[in-house]
Amino acid sequence: MKNMITLGEYIVKKQADYPTATGELSSLLSSIRLAAKVVNREINKAGLADIMGSVGSSNVQGEEQQKLDVYANERFKAALEARGEVCGMASEEEEDFVAFDSALSAHSKYVVLIDPLDGSSNIDVNVSVGTIFSIYRRVSEPGSPVRLDDFLQPGHRQVAAGYVVYGSSTMLVYTTGFGVNGFTYDPSIGCFCLSHENIRIPEEGKIYSINEGNYIKFPDGVKKYLKYCQERDEATHRPYTSRYIGSLVSDFHRNLLKGGIYIYPSGTNSPNGKLRLLYECNPMAFLVEQAGGKASDGFRRIMDIQPTALHQRTPYFVGSTRMVERAEGFMREFSAHEEVKE
């Protein structure tokens, strides 16, 4: 390949663009890159090794843990602690945050929130899964013990976020607040290489992604929006296409590249929505906004929500700007109708 740029080279190049950069964030991203390569290796041999299936226990949300959930969590934890650039980590797989107690870590500026293996139940049937990560500057004083409020920050304070999708190819997509770039893993050289520079999501898309099996429980605004998506109208290129994988990373990645909307509303088996604000919604919101899209809970910007708990859930509407705004319009309209009826 001509002029191929690896992720490591790209990180160094971007660091050089900012004379005040100290290299800590770059080193942190390199830790995530390394752990992603290790997890990718295990996923690719899942059918050959004893790493598929459940471990026979549940995580803090009461969801059955898969063997790869536990493996990925441990690999990312070890990689983040090793370089001393992170003072603590919060994970979807851990009940409480994890403090890194070494002298080096205690003086670091950053905390990481992570979903180590999103969609892990799909591993057994060879469907794409992913890792989602979010990076914040701590609010406590470096050198002091990391605290809960270091993690309970609104999404607009993120300094970086990204995901890895383990699919037909493995890609790492991230932002530091200056656009979104994607890197595809080349196993022949063991490197992530720049393949999708300055990703921009189309303002309008033709794909909607939602688990329609829960339709009867959806809020009226969501039901009406789905009917809108399914109506025939040549001027607006409807009906839209329904595409739902059941792995947030995979559905989000497709819609980011092609245009579309992903919805996980309230009113399902999870009354407040299933997705976690800190581990899934905020990082994807940061990415989509940097790519020109929008993320909402149906009424307000996701990244303006003040978290109150590590495992807080929220309804989620994310994707192409015009599609999310249209869905918000239906939510506002039929929410008002429901209030009048009451």
Side-chain angles (χ1 to χ4, degrees), residues 138-201:
R138 65 188 298 180
V139 295
S140 58
E141 190 68 29
S144 65
V146 66
R147 306 189 311 238
L148 180 60
D149 58 345
D150 289 318
F151 299 92
L152 298 184
Q153 299 187 58
H156 64 255
R157 291 186 183 167
Q158 291 173 101
V159 296
Y163 63 86
V164 184
V165 57
Y166 310 101
S168 54
S169 64
T170 297
M171 277 189 67
L172 189 153
V173 180
Y174 84 100
T175 183
T176 56
F178 300 94
V180 178
N181 294 282
F183 299 79
T184 299
Y185 186 64
D186 183 346
S188 68
I189 59 173
C191 291
F192 285 96
C193 301
L194 181 62
S195 56
H196 295 68
E197 191 169 14
N198 192 27
I199 297 171
R200 304 294 296 174
I201 187 171

Side-chain angles (χ1 to χ4, degrees), residues 40-41 51 72 76 106 125 134 140 148 201 203 206 209 318 330:
N40 176 67
R41 181 191 65 198
I51 201 161
F76 277 100
V125 291
S134 177
S140 58
L148 180 60
I201 187 171
E203 275 194 313
K206 299 178 184 178
S209 308
V318 62
F330 280 100

